[in-house]
């Protein structure tokens, strides 16, 4: 490899015709281009021109494949909300707009479909923003529909006024870092262009979050625009044969490792094929758990928050020549930017986003490749030698999976709780499992292990508390099976949607690690050397709260009661809360995060 190839992708990376592996992705089963419309179609369009803008927008959503809309109602969104309610789209009314947005994020990621989120003006919009930011960071497909104050009333201090007089326009109502696409619909003539941009955005493999704001008066206005049906396709960037050959050459020069991230979740089969063909070590990011089986003998562990010491042991004792990074940003929660994770000759970093490779480790040699992970690996495997030297010359280290023994006294140790969750829920069911930000995330990453992709969810990017307390409702709705959230009492008190789950009979289970405090903050501050910090919370009884909303629950204070409680929750026909009084003094595996904060000047 020459010096010119470092920190840049090959010149022909984006050539769409190379290798004949270009892929076109279509959105919706009933969308086609205007040029393909028949005379009957045009006649049908002319018969349906007298519809409201709200009806036209809902029709666009239906044609885009939106089957569900989550939100909270309000006066300014009333016409659109009513139209949604009487459409083919299932409307789920939430208790808080952030909860609706988090649930939409997880529903979209669980089934790959776009989800709509609707809110009224003012606080309806601002309440939803945290969840929508999480959707953008997580790569979900979410279309946000909000209300805006009608033009004649702007600047006159209307109720919850939403206009340039009262709210920042840039970033919320314009495309940028929050929304891939954002606009305010002022006239029905804009509908065809909005439909086209939404359709084009939804075929993006890296996710798409849009915002269409509709003034109240516009929602009820008559639209005379014949909506064209749009065919949205996207050609994925792929590598030329020469670029693939160079990758093969680089990987064949010596031992290499694979670092698997969430962006590689659709390429599990190809990753395993490459690993077993070469005998190399595989590690994963927290969000990548299960893409490569954690029980596989070539798996050396999870990196980042709550990660395994076996990864550092491998990097120190069997340092690879290069690491093939697949679909992870190598962000702080994944790598802590640790120099120990840099292989001898750097990274070969593959990602669909050309801005990702080289960012986390700017000083390391990085051969950057923009490509869909699955297509890249399929092309790579075709050129890899049939017989290749197996690089593993010594036994690979593996994560320690100790079993904690029961004890009679209380409170419950988190390790024992997680061991029981592993046996009864992970191995004994097909439930989705998600871990809330905080110590739950660290415990889940460290002690739960998965052998299939798509069953474990954490947010190590935006990492908002309340994400999975509410996201479990969206995931449970589309999964049609149990969805289980491991959450802290702080998060459970912050943004719960138990009531929403009760109304719609969503099979969600919350396992609350109740230690009467923000324990990651409490333990982290102590490790940083800060004293006399108040992070305590009056200990709530979440079973009483859950039953007060129509759910069921059980409180666990003894370790001997854990298994029965988990089994009861998994068998329950209604939403269920397990309130576990845990030992908050047990140190969570957050040392890496604390060291990272220290390196940033926190101490």
């Amino acid at each position: 490899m020459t010096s010119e190839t470092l920190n840049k992708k090959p010149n022909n990376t984006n050539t769409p015709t190379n290798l004949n592996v270009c892929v076109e992705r279509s959105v919706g089963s009933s969308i086609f281009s205007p040029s393909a419309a028949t005379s009957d179609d045009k006649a049908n369009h002319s018969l349906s021109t007298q519809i409201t803008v709200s009806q036209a927008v809902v029709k666009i959503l239906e044609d885009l494949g939106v089957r569900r809309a989550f939100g909270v109602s309000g006066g300014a969104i009333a016409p659109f909300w009513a139209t949604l309610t009487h459409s083919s789209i299932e409307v789920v009314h939430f208790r808080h707009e952030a909860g609706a947005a988090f649930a939409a994020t997880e529903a979209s990621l669980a089934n790959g479909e776009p989800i709509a989120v609707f809110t009224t003006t003012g606080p309806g919009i601002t309440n939803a923003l945290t969840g929508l930011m999480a959707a953008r960071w997580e790569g979900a497909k979410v279309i946000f529909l909000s209300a805006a104050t009608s033009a004649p009333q702007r600047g006159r201090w209307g109720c919850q006024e939403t206009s340039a007089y009262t709210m920042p326009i840039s970033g919320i109502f314009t495309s940028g870092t929050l929304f891939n696409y954002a606009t305010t619909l002022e006239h029905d003539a804009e509908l065809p262009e909005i439909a086209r941009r939404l359709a084009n955005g939804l075929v993006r493999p890296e996710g798409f979050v849009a915002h269409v704001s509709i003034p109240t008066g516009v929602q009820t206005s008559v639209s005379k625009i014949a909506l064209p049906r749009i065919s949205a396709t996207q050609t994925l960037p792929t590598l030329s044969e020469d670029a693939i050959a160079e990758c093969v050459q680089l990987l064949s020069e010596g031992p290499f490792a694979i670092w698997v991230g969430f962006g590689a979740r659709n390429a599990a089969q190809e990753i395993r094929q490459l690993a077993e063909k070469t005998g190399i070590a595989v590690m994963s990011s927290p969000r990548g758990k299960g893409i490569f089986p954690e029980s596989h003998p070539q798996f050396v562990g999870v990196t980042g928050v709550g990660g395994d010491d076996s990864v550092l042991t491998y990097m120190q004792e069997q340092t690879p020549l290069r690491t093939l990074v697949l679909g992870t940003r190598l962000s702080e929660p994944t790598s802590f930017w640790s120099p120990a994770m840099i292989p001898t000759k750097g990274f070969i970093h593959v990602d669909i986003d050309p801005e990702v490779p080289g960012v986390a480790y700017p000083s390391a040699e990085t051969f950057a490749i923009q490509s869909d992970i699955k297509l890249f690996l399929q092309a790579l495997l075709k050129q890899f030698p049939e017989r290749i030297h197996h690089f593993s010359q010594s036994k690979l280290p593996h994560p320690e999976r100790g079993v904690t023994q029961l004890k009679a006294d209380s409170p419950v140790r988190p390790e024992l709780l997680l061991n029981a969750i592993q046996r009864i829920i992970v191995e004994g069911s097909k439930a989705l499992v998600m871990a809330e930000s905080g110590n739950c995330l660290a415990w889940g990453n460290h002690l739960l292990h998965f052998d299939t992709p798509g069953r474990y969810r954490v947010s190590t990017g935006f990492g908002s508390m309340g994400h999975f307390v509410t996201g479990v409702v969206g995931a449970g709705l589309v999964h049609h099976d149990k969805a289980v959230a491991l959450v802290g009492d702080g998060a459970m008190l912050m943004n719960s949607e138990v009531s929403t789950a009760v109304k719609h009979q969503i099979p969600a289970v919350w396992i609350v690690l109740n230690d009467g405090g923000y324990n990651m903050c409490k333990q982290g501050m102590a490790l940083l050397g800060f004293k006399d910090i108040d992070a305590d919370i009056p200990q709530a009884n979440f079973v009483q709260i859950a039953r007060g909303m129509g759910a069921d629950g059980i409180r666990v204070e003894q370790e001997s009661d854990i298994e029965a409680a988990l089994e009861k929750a998994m068998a329950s026909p209604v939403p269920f809360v397990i309130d576990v009084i845990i030992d908050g003094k047990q140190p969570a595996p957050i040392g890496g995060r604390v060291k990272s904060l220290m390196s940033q000047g926190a101490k």
Side-chain angles (χ1 to χ4, degrees), residues 168-386:
I169 300 300
S170 179
I172 299 178
F173 301 93
T174 59
S175 307
T177 54
L178 175 54
F179 296 108
N180 297 103
Y181 169 63
T183 190
T184 299
L185 173 56
E186 300 281 10
H187 194 279
D188 67 333
E190 299 174 276
L191 287 168
E193 179 61 18
I194 290 173
R196 185 187 70 83
R197 288 180 179 268
L198 291 177
N200 286 338
L202 288 175
V203 298
R204 296 172 51 166
E206 66 269 33
F208 179 72
V209 181
H211 180 196
V212 179
S213 178
I214 316 174
T216 305
V218 175
Q219 294 173 39
T220 56
S221 64
V222 174
S223 174
K224 299 180 179 180
I225 298 296
L227 292 177
R229 295 182 178 181
I230 302 168
S231 176
T233 61
Q234 182 176 34
T235 301
L236 298 177
T238 59
L239 287 172
S240 68
E241 293 187 22
D242 289 343
I244 290 290
E246 185 168 3
C247 289
V248 171
Q249 175 60 37
L250 294 176
L251 294 175
S252 300
E253 290 178 356
F256 70 94
I258 299 178
W259 200 342
V260 179
F262 185 63
R265 60 193 180 277
N266 295 322
Q269 180 179 350
E270 289 78 9
I271 293 170
R272 183 165 184 168
Q273 186 178 350
L274 177 62
E276 292 179 346
K277 188 173 187 177
T278 58
I280 49 80
V282 181
M283 51 195 165
S284 83
S285 71
R287 293 201 306 160
K289 283 170 67 71
I291 295 174
F292 187 83
E294 293 189 64
S295 62
H296 197 284
Q298 290 172 237
F299 185 72
V300 296
V302 178
T303 64
V305 178
D308 299 304
D309 292 338
S310 52
V311 174
L312 288 178
T313 299
Y314 164 74
M315 292 299 297
Q316 292 166 357
E317 297 180 358
Q318 303 179 46
T319 309
L321 194 65
R322 292 183 175 86
T323 296
L324 177 62
V325 181
L326 302 174
T328 169
R329 304 182 184 105
L330 300 184
S331 60
E332 181 187 3
T334 292
S335 69
F336 296 127
W337 306 310
S338 170
M341 295 303 297
I342 301 176
T344 306
K345 290 194 175 181
F347 303 100
I348 299 175
H349 198 152
V350 187
D351 202 280
I352 194 68
D353 185 348
E355 299 299 319
V356 167
V359 171
Y361 287 98
S363 61
E365 294 185 6
T366 301
F367 186 66
I369 299 170
Q370 183 193 7
S371 177
D372 174 83
I373 306 297
K374 188 179 185 74
L375 296 180
F376 164 78
L377 288 172
Q378 288 174 344
L380 184 73
L381 285 164
K382 287 180 181 179
Q383 290 200 30
F384 238 93
E386 286 300 320

Side-chain angles (χ1 to χ4, degrees), residues 54-127:
S54 289
Q55 290 173 316
V57 172
V58 169
K59 180 63 169 63
I60 290 170
L61 294 177
E62 290 173 330
D63 287 347
L64 290 172
V66 175
R67 295 196 295 159
R68 296 177 177 87
F70 301 166
V72 179
S73 59
I77 197 69
F80 180 76
W81 176 37
T83 304
L84 259 182
T85 300
H86 296 289
S87 72
S88 67
I89 297 172
E90 179 184 3
V91 177
V92 182
H93 205 270
F94 278 72
R95 307 298 171 260
H96 193 277
E97 293 87 352
F102 285 129
T105 299
E106 293 309 308
S108 173
L109 292 173
N111 68 3
E113 295 181 358
I115 305 291
V117 172
F118 62 91
T119 73
T120 191
T121 50
I125 296 171
T126 56
N127 282 348

Side-chain angles (χ1 to χ4, degrees), residues 8 165 193 217 331 421 423 495:
K8 69 181 183 68
Y165 292 99
E193 179 61 18
S331 60
I421 292 172
R423 294 192 309 274
N495 194 13

